[in-house]
Amino acid sequence: MNEQFTVVANDSKEKNIDLARIQALFFPLMVLLIGLSNILVLYIGGKQAAEGIIEVGVIPEFLIYVNMLTWPVAVVGWVTNMVQQAAASQKRVNEFLDINPAIQNMVETDTPVTGNITFDHVNFVYEDTNIQALKDVSFTIEAGKTLAILGKTGSGKSTILELIGRLYDVTDGNIIVDDYPIKDLNLDRLRQAIGYVPQDAFLFSDTIGNNIAFGKKDASKDEIIEAAKNAVVHKNIIDFTKDYDTVLGERGITLSGGQKQRVSIARAIIKKPQILLFDDCLSAVDTETEEKILNNLKKVTENTTTIIVSHRVSSAKNADQIIVLDEGRVVENGNHDSLIKNNGYYAELYTNQMMEDDR
């Protein structure tokens, strides 16, 4: 990979050097030709004027004509250069646009989604790195229930969410959604049924209201405010001079990390999806705000299948089911009380985090 990159980079460098060399010669050469044409007009016109063939006033006329013609011709050269550069760029863009997605929609008919999800001995390997992210993962979550996934960094938590959204297909095993293999569901319908909140929230350079309404195109102002209140970000928004009409900077730079995450949560819940996926999206908020958000989510997601990926036990303890991953395997599965009694990784994590909160 490094050798290929070096070859491509060196080839690009050589071509850019050649381009710079040609451009460096082009402008001085053009000025030289303009000067020579003026000298020729003066020389030939002067001789003919001296011989009485033309009048002296004809010489400046020709000089004006020559200069009027020279610059349009020069512009043609510049435009030709720009067109060639644009053509090269367009070629690269077309190569990207012509790529067929690895994940194809296998079903054209509509397939409604209610939210029952089963992982049946799922294994998954990332093709580009050959890293096995999931190893024989099995669990079931009923529609309308909440599943929390805990584990160390790199244990495969986010991979589970990506597989539910069918950003990848499993290497081995099956994912069953509403009694159908996930490949037998209409891909567009599946993704429309999912509300996804990433850890690194992406916000557009637009108003806060439009960023929230992105989850539901025909959302009313009341729905936007209600979603913001449930995400516990309404009070922060109305503190701005233009409240919901405040225009955010690129990628939401106007907001803090916690505010961006909460706006992203509001955007996901406003569409009222059948499945909600939270990928450690409460990492930048304090525990008090987190508790308020989780209590609100419990109300608004009463009939929604919710999967919460987190490093905090506080985000997971009220879930109907909790699984703990370690190196891609499910090492613990149960609810809060049963896992505390198991005295395993979950219980240890709970004890450590409670001790930190007491300090």
Side-chain angles (χ1 to χ4, degrees), residues 4-275:
Q4 290 178 344
F5 177 78
T6 301
V7 170
V8 172
N10 287 334
D11 183 51
S12 176
K13 181 187 74 173
E14 294 299 327
K15 288 180 178 178
N16 277 285
I17 290 173
D18 291 340
L19 177 61
R21 187 180 291 115
I22 292 169
Q23 289 177 337
L25 290 171
F26 177 76
F27 189 76
L29 183 61
M30 183 186 66
V31 174
L32 176 63
L33 291 174
I34 293 171
L36 287 174
S37 62
N38 287 329
I39 291 171
L40 285 171
V41 169
L42 287 171
Y43 176 72
I44 297 171
K47 284 184 67 176
Q48 290 186 349
E51 294 172 0
I53 300 174
I54 62 172
E55 295 181 3
V56 176
V58 176
I59 297 175
E61 289 180 5
F62 267 89
L63 285 173
I64 293 170
Y65 293 150
V66 167
N67 284 283
M68 287 175 66
L69 288 170
T70 301
W71 290 108
V73 172
V75 168
V76 169
W78 280 327
V79 170
T80 302
N81 180 46
M82 291 171 63
V83 168
Q84 289 177 338
Q85 289 183 353
S89 299
Q90 185 64 48
K91 181 182 177 182
R92 291 194 293 270
V93 171
N94 289 340
E95 287 175 357
F96 172 76
L97 295 175
D98 291 340
I99 294 174
N100 290 320
I103 306 300
Q104 296 287 339
N105 186 10
M106 305 296 185
V107 180
E108 295 299 329
T109 57
D110 186 35
T111 52
V113 175
T114 57
N116 293 292
I117 301 172
T118 297
F119 272 55
D120 182 20
H121 300 287
V122 169
N123 294 280
F124 179 71
V125 178
Y126 285 101
E127 291 184 2
D128 52 346
T129 61
N130 286 325
I131 293 175
Q132 185 166 0
L134 297 178
K135 303 171 184 175
D136 197 32
V137 171
S138 296
F139 65 83
T140 297
I141 175 171
E142 297 177 2
K145 299 294 184 180
T146 300
L147 169 70
I149 306 174
L150 278 77
K152 300 174 184 176
T153 301
S155 59
K157 303 185 298 297
S158 297
T159 302
I160 289 177
L161 304 189
E162 291 170 348
L163 292 176
I164 292 173
R166 210 175 158 221
L167 300 182
Y168 300 96
D169 282 331
V170 300
T171 304
D172 191 26
N174 291 293
I175 300 176
I176 310 297
V177 179
D178 299 334
D179 299 324
Y180 291 96
I182 196 168
K183 287 185 178 181
D184 292 345
L185 294 177
N186 183 290
L187 184 61
D188 295 331
R189 187 67 182 85
L190 171 66
R191 291 178 177 172
Q192 287 171 6
I194 293 175
Y196 176 64
V197 186
Q199 181 179 358
D200 184 17
F202 183 93
L203 300 180
F204 300 98
S205 183
D206 201 344
T207 64
I208 296 175
N210 285 342
N211 268 283
I212 296 174
F214 183 77
K216 185 180 180 182
K217 293 181 180 179
D218 58 346
S220 66
K221 185 67 178 287
D222 290 339
E223 287 178 310
I224 293 171
I225 293 173
E226 183 65 23
K229 287 180 177 178
N230 287 324
V232 194
V233 73
H234 173 70
K235 290 183 178 179
N236 298 112
I237 295 172
I238 60 176
D239 284 340
F240 291 112
T241 307
K242 296 183 178 180
D243 52 75
Y244 285 88
D245 292 324
T246 301
V247 177
L248 301 179
E250 193 67 33
R251 295 182 65 89
I253 197 171
T254 312
L255 304 178
S256 67
Q259 289 170 342
K260 284 193 285 188
Q261 287 185 335
R262 282 176 282 161
V263 169
S264 188
I265 290 172
R267 182 166 62 191
I269 62 179
I270 196 173
K271 68 182 288 189
K272 297 180 181 178
Q274 286 71 44
I275 302 171

